[in-house]
Amino acid sequence: MAVTDAPKLITARFDQEDAHTLAGYESSGGYTALRKALGSAPDAVLAEVKAANIQGRGGAGFPAGTKWGFLPPDVSPRYLVVNGDESEPGTYKDRLLLERDPHQLIEGVLIASYAIAANQAFIYIRGEMPFAHERVAAALNEAYAAGYIGRDIMGSGWSLDVVLHWGAGAYIVGEETALIESLEGNRGMPRLKPPFFPAVKGLYMQPTIVNNVETLSNVPWIVNNGGAAFAALGTDESAGTRIFALSGHVRRPGVYEVEMGKTTFRDLIEAPVYGGGIRNGRGLKAFIPGGASAPWFYEEHLDLPLSKATVDKAGSMLGSGAVVVMDETTCPVRAALRVVRFFAHESCGKCTPCREGTNWLEKIMHRIEEGTGRADDLDLLLDVSDNLSPGIAWPPRQTTICPLGPSAVSPVASSIRRFRDDYVAHIDQGRCTHD
Amino acid sequence: MTDIAENGTEAVRGVAVTLNGRVIDAQPGELVINAAERAGVYIPRFCHHPRMQPVGMCRMCIVEIDTGRGPALLPSCMIPVAEGMVVETESPVTRKAQDGVLEFLLVNHPLDCPVCDKGGECPLQDQTVAFGPGESRFVEEKRHHEKPIAISDVVQLDRERCILCDRCTRFAKTVAGDPLISFVNRGNETEVNTFPDHPFASYFSGNTVQICPVGALTATPYRFKARPWDLDQVESTCTSCSVGCRVAVESSSNQLVRYLGVDVDAVNWGWLCDKGRFDFEAVNSENRLARPLARQGDDLVEVSWSDALTKAASALGGAKERHGSSSIAVVGGARLTNEEAYAWSKLARSVLGTDSVDAQMGDGLPSDVVLGLPRATIDETCAAGTVVLLGPDLKEELPILYLRLRDAVVNHGLNVIEISASQTSMTRYAAVSLRYRPGEAAVLVQELFEHAGDVDVQADLGRARALLEANNVVCVLGRPSVAERADSVVQAALRLRSRVPGMRFLSALRRANIHGALDMGLSPGMLPGRVSLEEGREVFTEAWGQLPGSVGLDTAGVLRAAAEGRIQALILVGADPLADFPDRDLARRGVAGAGFVLAVDCFATDSVRQADVVLPAVSYAEKAGTTTNIEGRVSRLHQKVTAPGTTRPDWMIACDLAERLGGDLGFETAEAIWDEIERLAPAHSGLTAQRLASSEGLEGIVAAGPSSILETTMDVTATATLPVDGYSLRLVSTRKLYDNGTLVQQSPSLAPLAPGEVVRANPADLDRLGVASNDRVRVASSRGAVVAPVEADAAVARGTVLLAFNQSGSGAADLIDVSLPVTEVRVETVGIGDREVSG
């Protein structure tokens, strides 16, 4: 495996200064895909996206074309909702797509809405990303003025209205049903699925497709170049390219668009064009392969390819594409505590196990890290984890509505299983052994 | 799938679900938690409530459910059954998960059960004792909050005990429609609270205390009054208004301490309004009349029952002898049980010989209209094609009927046409809301059918007309305002009925057992069982010995006659005309002009203080019997505590008086009275005590009455628009739930909730008059004047002014002249020096 010479599908304009403006976008081929899509039937566009076999880039990795196909026919109104509430720790790819190439997303929204016969779309942007909000708002205004959005778009007879919505600062709103609740003006709390699968009963109880920013940003390229060209990239099971947000103890943290399935974690972390290796030449302790919710990976996982199937099979996930690297000096207890604290802070409070359990886990971890841990705390941590996520298996089972609670179990279980000695040392010595 | 039932018809078979290895027959669409419970398997729960939409929040009811894709832990309160579903409620995985949830609920719970009101009847405590771990593994500091905090005048919140089940907040939002409490903050810091400066001022707040599964919400009137194991309970029917909610009456040490709503499908679904829930304090009041009183000069002094009865009997006997039976009148009776009302009806007709009896206080509707129109039950009204509201603000006067109709509108798409003089609480739920000028409801109805009226309301009238085409139209009919006479409202209702075939009616008269009192003949020209004096003459003459020769006077007529010196003996049975009769000037002259006044009451009201003899009566929860609600539904009342002093039940007082007057009503017990009612009253035939006491009677049994007594001679086609005086506004006077009435004022928790006297008028009218909001204004009619602060309120229609009836210092009754069709008033600002001006 190595660095492939696959084209940049969605980050091609990241270095173009004026890509965020309509003129800049059009000068580099912008809105040609829309024109092409509007010239064919919605079903043909849908077929093209299905042929591309693009998996959702938000975290769950569900094929987008299949998702669009779940909409019940002849029910209207129906909505497209763009999930731009990117909040998974270590993930910052959508923010750059929103800031640097907003028209690419808007074009994707237009084509997707056309394909699913929606006349109303919503772009939900995380509250902590004001610059992204500003750029998308400006781009929407330009697109409206240019007639790309609005009534009877480019003479096609089809109309679309796009509403930009600014989030209020809750991680859980990245979960699609919580995002829908938030969009409706309610507290951002997930709905139980079933019965509320958004494709059937979503926003305002109408059929709704919720797609990630990166997923939709791929759509113009797919329409311009054909689904087959997209599917030809990567592997059969993980098609196309994907943006990974690399952070932690690497020399060159950043976002990198890489070809799926043909690049490995080692490539991403060590290749000079990507991470450039671990800082100060140190060894690897662990890395998180796909966002804070993912179980940790270690040295032996470095040569796994960046593909959904292989990572799933190895007991974790590519999730939101956030790879966080921890070098050998990292205290695993403190690292796990940080992640658990995040989930406890972001628990919406709806389900008892998550509301109370994540907080309890944080308190115990905090005690251990501060040097007041007890001998039976490890068993307690694992049993509390088990009550959040029965069996502590992967993919996780859950006693909650959404996976946030079980996500807090990942760092706890991962670190205890791999670094039990570090925990025991903390407890025995009454202090953090990495200070 | 279908089976052939025994009678040969095809019956839909249920859904086969395997529950703990046993196949059960569930109903299509039924939730797993309910199907299991019907099959005898109770799944623990906290957030699930049978009268609210499930939210699946507490996670206590998670069980392993396999719908073909392998077992998963799912909330049984949110998952409907499906054919072939396998449910495991006892499996190790289920047990472990449920134990885990219970432990999670307890980690931040203060475990202060010994000092918690809920201890002993607490679902969390019960679950923990039954299934929970013996000791806590949580060694950290628990979550702390200031506690308790008052979220309303009657409800206290302890956020540390709260398990965030969303029952109270869901109730407030989805059942009461008063979303004044909500979750605030997030995750482990989540708490229930009110919004800044907006207390949980809901008429239904007490229900949240009842449905709270822990001791987080407590009611001020009950806090620390008793422990659940000291409580004694009987089931009864609330008589705070006439909806007839079923209620559990609880006492400790022979004192009432709490009412709880009882869930019956037909009426209240377990809910109570706060007035009904907390006015037990009035029964406990130290101000209760405990011993008979008789006048000595200017004072009323305590006397023995024997002396009081002798005195009363001699005055009554003397009046009858010297001035004839028609010089005696009985006013009141809505507070009585059916049995007591019957005894008084019999006493008046057969012993006193008068037909001048009236349980209504001039603020209701003619009894032949109330009793004679074809009826609909609450359920039938909620399921109607269209409902016409022509009456008072239901939220203020019949709160639980409001909840039921609101539910029907919000959750089942009921179409409501509101016809009112100003906006009400139902306006926002109405498909069409039409305004009529006070006194001209009938005009509006005519315009409705004749395509007349102003251009700007044509669209509304058209929509209303279309809705009236529906099958099965029900009219909720009451008295919209006491500042207009009942005639126009009755005419409007009859005109509607003449144009809408098959229209049925649900009464919206508010006062306690007013429908039972009317059923028992406490209305001039009426006899028990919804028959007229003439219709029933033969039967009742034979049974009672004698009947008055002609129809007597109603309350207004009695007061007028008394003012003119034609009433020698006025008996007030739980009646306070000085406070309740719309025309205070007439009430004052009537009570003063009566030769002798006998009052039978629980409290020394203004009218009672004018009496010559006062007989103290037992109150609610101190007596057994039956009561009748707006539907005509007869349900049982039970005694829970003993009455104070030497008070007696009203039926016994009627018997005592009869005896002193040489008669004999023939009753030894209240039960004997019911037997006679069942035997003689046509509408109640077959409604035996046995049936009422059976399971069938638990939610009451509707007395199906004949409707032949509606003999109105009113011309339903004539329309009189009243001349408009350009300088005047028309007064609208309605009741608020909390007013100056005895029940509220004698309940310390409720008395401060009465809003007091405020004049409300449309901002445009105030502008025109040059009056600013919050000014003190003088409101003057031909009858008198009152001075009160004014508030601009766009909910009040232009050309009208709203003044709540019977508020503290209330003057609405000082403005109303019941001989006029409407009350025209002038409004002007008063300076500081004018404050003394009053009627």
Side-chain angles (χ1 to χ4, degrees), chain B residues 585-624:
Chain B
D585 179 63
L586 178 57
R588 206 176 277 136
R589 287 185 287 125
V591 173
F596 170 84
V597 177
L598 168 65
V600 183
D601 216 316
C602 298
F603 289 95
T605 64
D606 286 353
S607 303
V608 166
R609 278 193 277 270
Q610 305 293 313
D612 297 292
V613 173
V614 180
L615 301 177
V618 307
S619 176
Y620 182 76
E622 296 167 349
K623 60 188 176 186

Side-chain angles (χ1 to χ4, degrees), chain A residues 169-170 187 345-348 350-353 355-357 359-360 363 367 374 383 386-387 390 399-401, chain B residues 56-59 73 75 96 100 103-105 107-108 137-140 143 163-164 183 185-188:
Chain A
R187 286 171 67 84
H345 181 250
E346 292 296 343
S347 170
C348 80
K350 185 170 184 175
C351 301
T352 305
R355 181 182 70 236
E356 304 294 342
N359 189 260
W360 193 3
K363 286 190 154 121
R367 267 197 296 111
R374 302 168 176 210
D383 196 51
D386 189 76
N387 286 340
T399 54
T400 49
I401 290 174
Chain B
M57 268 182 88
C58 75
R59 317 304 291 176
L73 285 164
K96 171 88 166 66
E103 184 180 34
F104 285 138
L105 285 171
V107 292
N108 275 300
R137 297 190 290 176
F138 186 80
V139 297
E140 345 286 330
R143 194 164 51 217
I163 59 167
L164 301 166
F183 287 135
N185 295 330
R186 189 174 72 194
N188 206 252

